[in-house]
Amino acid sequence: MDYEAIREVDPAVADALAGEVDRQNDTLAMIASENHVSEAVLEAQGSALTNKYAEGYPGERYYAGCEYADEVENLAIERAKELWGAEHVNVQPHSGTQANQGVYYAVLEPGDKILSLDLNHGGHLSHGHPANFTGQFYEVEQYEVDADSGYIDYDALREHAEDFDPDIIVSGYSAYPREVDFEAIQEAADATDAYHLADIAHITGLVAAGVHQSPVGVADFVTGSTHKTIRAGRGGIIMCDEAYADDIDAAVFPGGQGGPLMHNVAGKAVGFKEALEPEFEAYAAQTVDNAKALGDQLQERGFSLVSGGTDNHLVLVDLRDSHPDTTGKDAEAALEEVGVVLNANTVPGETRSAFNPSGIRAGTPGLTTRGFDEAACREVADIIADVVDAHDDEDVKADASARVSALTDDHPLYQ
Ligand code: DSN
């Protein structure tokens, strides 16, 4: 990736792009929502389809010249149907948040009621946070994880639903390390005659590979982003039964978006094809095994994990017991210095702020893409523990940096 054409026009951007490739090669991408797509997906996203306007859907566009756009979008749709088993798929949302917006716009009126998980407990901004349009256009109440176990309390959720009588219940989370029981949430939705939106943004790849239960065929709507565990082109996706197809398509375009980002749709198509290969199941299973190894070793080293472990691709560390004077931002900054890139995160019962919270979230999708196994992830846990234990000690950080370099050298990424 030498970016020759860009360099001729714009050396400053070429330098930044090359710098980003080096950064990804030389550090551990442990932000749980990130991954490393293949060079094939990168090429698709950098293709001439970026020039094409294709408002509408395959075969029904508002502009001429869409034969290749149609071909690519149809491939993305058919592959998504095969991956997740959905009756209808819309691959045009620009992001997971836009996908959620499409569902809300399709079935809710302003002032309708959303019941969703609190952000501090693992939810997402687009599920009704006051700073997001959802928190302003709709009436929102939020459920929480159980204070002692860290697990969703499905009985309490159902009682909350019966009390609040929501129009839609949102499941699927951004910082919840446990398997989600979509059937239990569907029962709460059925009991209150509410729609059920399952936002599987984080676990799209785990669901496609069968290492996490699927909400497709259970929830009314399933949304996701396409660049996280599924490792395809950047953006979002909506899945639903045929009965909702027209409403969802109209809500995405022209309801909420203009022209689809066809170069990203191409990236989705290519990434979905890769995910249909048998190796992808092994990748997804290894991602979960790696997160378990990472979490086990962090616990060995005295760290507290929310819910005591993980069933998926991420661990959520609550620093308050083990490191009461270290904030999530302190840990994030010290770890970034040594090449471990993860994010400070709020934890259930948060006593600090969203900007400087009490936890860190760490995921294994990116590490697994570059070939890390459980032993390598235990070494990563030891590096994290050493640095957080002594985040002002320059010798410890120098040693940690060298160990990160050894790991990245052993697991090359982009050439
Ligand atoms: N920003 C993503 C995450 O980190 O979970 C969600 O949109």
Side-chain angles (χ1 to χ4, degrees):
M1 289 179 201
D2 43 22
Y3 300 111
E4 271 174 41
I6 301 173
R7 189 165 299 284
E8 268 187 33
V9 177
D10 190 339
V13 168
D15 283 347
L17 295 180
E20 176 61 14
V21 173
D22 290 345
R23 189 193 69 78
Q24 291 188 26
N25 278 332
D26 298 342
T27 60
L28 304 181
M30 297 189 70
I31 292 174
S33 47
E34 293 184 2
N35 207 333
H36 304 287
V37 297
S38 68
E39 295 196 21
V41 172
L42 289 181
E43 205 171 295
Q45 294 195 146
S47 68
L49 270 176
T50 191
N51 299 329
K52 189 71 197 101
Y53 265 119
E55 282 94 332
Y57 291 97
E60 297 176 314
R61 305 284 190 185
Y62 285 82
Y63 294 108
C66 287
E67 65 264 43
Y68 298 111
D70 281 6
E71 201 171 318
V72 162
E73 186 164 348
N74 278 328
L75 285 167
I77 290 168
E78 290 314 312
R79 289 168 184 168
K81 284 182 176 173
E82 200 175 335
L83 278 170
W84 289 286
E87 279 183 18
H88 180 74
V89 178
N90 186 308
V91 294
Q92 292 191 7
H94 301 332
S95 69
T97 290
Q98 300 279 148
N100 290 339
Q101 180 184 319
V103 173
Y104 301 135
Y105 190 58
V107 297
L108 299 184
E109 296 295 330
D112 277 356
K113 296 181 186 176
I114 296 177
L115 179 62
S116 57
L117 186 67
D118 187 287
L119 187 71
N120 283 351
H121 289 244
H124 189 257
L125 285 167
S126 67
H127 296 177
H129 191 273
N132 184 264
F133 81 96
T134 48
Q136 297 167 25
F137 289 11
Y138 305 109
E139 183 183 342
V140 180
E141 287 199 8
Q142 302 211 285
Y143 54 96
E144 299 184 343
V145 297
D146 179 76
D148 295 324
S149 69
Y151 281 66
I152 291 166
D153 179 341
Y154 296 98
D155 292 333
L157 190 163
R158 182 174 170 148
E159 280 170 30
H160 193 161
E162 284 171 350
D163 192 42
F164 179 48
D165 193 22
D167 295 288
I168 195 164
I169 300 179
V170 183
S171 66
Y173 314 108
S174 289
Y176 183 67
R178 291 302 182 177
E179 174 122 14
V180 182
D181 186 346
F182 294 112
E183 304 259 4
I185 295 176
Q186 185 59 41
E187 282 174 24
D190 288 340
T192 56
D193 204 19
Y195 292 110
H196 177 189
L197 160 60
D199 175 354
I200 61 166
H202 268 253
I203 56 169
T204 43
L206 309 187
V207 170
V211 301
H212 188 292
Q213 63 178 269
S214 174
V216 175
V218 177
D220 300 287
F221 306 102
V222 178
T223 56
S225 40
T226 48
H227 47 277
K228 295 182 175 132
T229 45
I230 192 67
R231 218 170 44 182
R234 183 119 196 166
I237 188 170
I238 304 176
M239 296 177 262
C240 61
D241 285 348
E242 204 53 54
Y244 297 121
D246 290 347
D247 289 343
I248 286 295
D249 287 353
V252 172
F253 172 83
Q257 295 189 168
L261 308 177
M262 289 310 305
H263 54 306
N264 281 358
V265 173
K268 293 174 192 181
V270 174
F272 294 165
K273 180 159 195 294
E274 292 172 341
L276 283 164
E277 297 298 323
E279 301 81 71
F280 189 79
E281 278 179 35
Y283 162 73
Q286 187 65 51
T287 298
V288 174
D289 289 346
N290 282 349
K292 288 181 193 293
L294 178 80
D296 286 349
Q297 187 62 16
L298 285 170
Q299 285 179 304
E300 287 281 318
R301 295 290 305 266
F303 287 77
S304 295
L305 301 190
V306 172
S307 82
T310 182
D311 300 325
N312 59 26
H313 63 298
L314 68 85
V315 296
L316 184 59
V317 180
D318 187 338
L319 293 167
R320 289 174 299 186
D321 288 341
S322 58
H323 300 76
D325 298 326
T326 304
T327 69
K329 275 287 175 199
D330 294 334
E332 178 192 281
L335 288 164
E336 186 177 6
E337 272 185 63
V338 306
V340 177
V341 183
L342 46 65
N343 66 286
N345 212 96
T346 51
V347 291
E350 182 58 64
T351 41
R352 294 192 175 96
S353 68
F355 195 69
N356 192 9
S358 303
I360 50 176
R361 185 187 65 165
T364 52
L367 301 188
T368 310
T369 289
R370 60 194 297 174
F372 281 51
D373 61 8
E374 289 99 315
C377 288
R378 278 192 287 275
E379 163 69 349
V380 173
D382 279 331
I383 293 171
I384 292 172
D386 289 346
V387 171
V388 177
D389 283 350
H391 55 87
D392 291 327
D393 187 322
E394 295 307 322
D395 290 339
V396 167
K397 286 193 279 191
D399 175 63
S401 278
R403 288 156 68 196
V404 168
S405 296
L407 286 167
T408 56
D409 288 351
D410 280 352
H411 301 88
L413 183 58
Y414 297 125
Q415 298 307 306

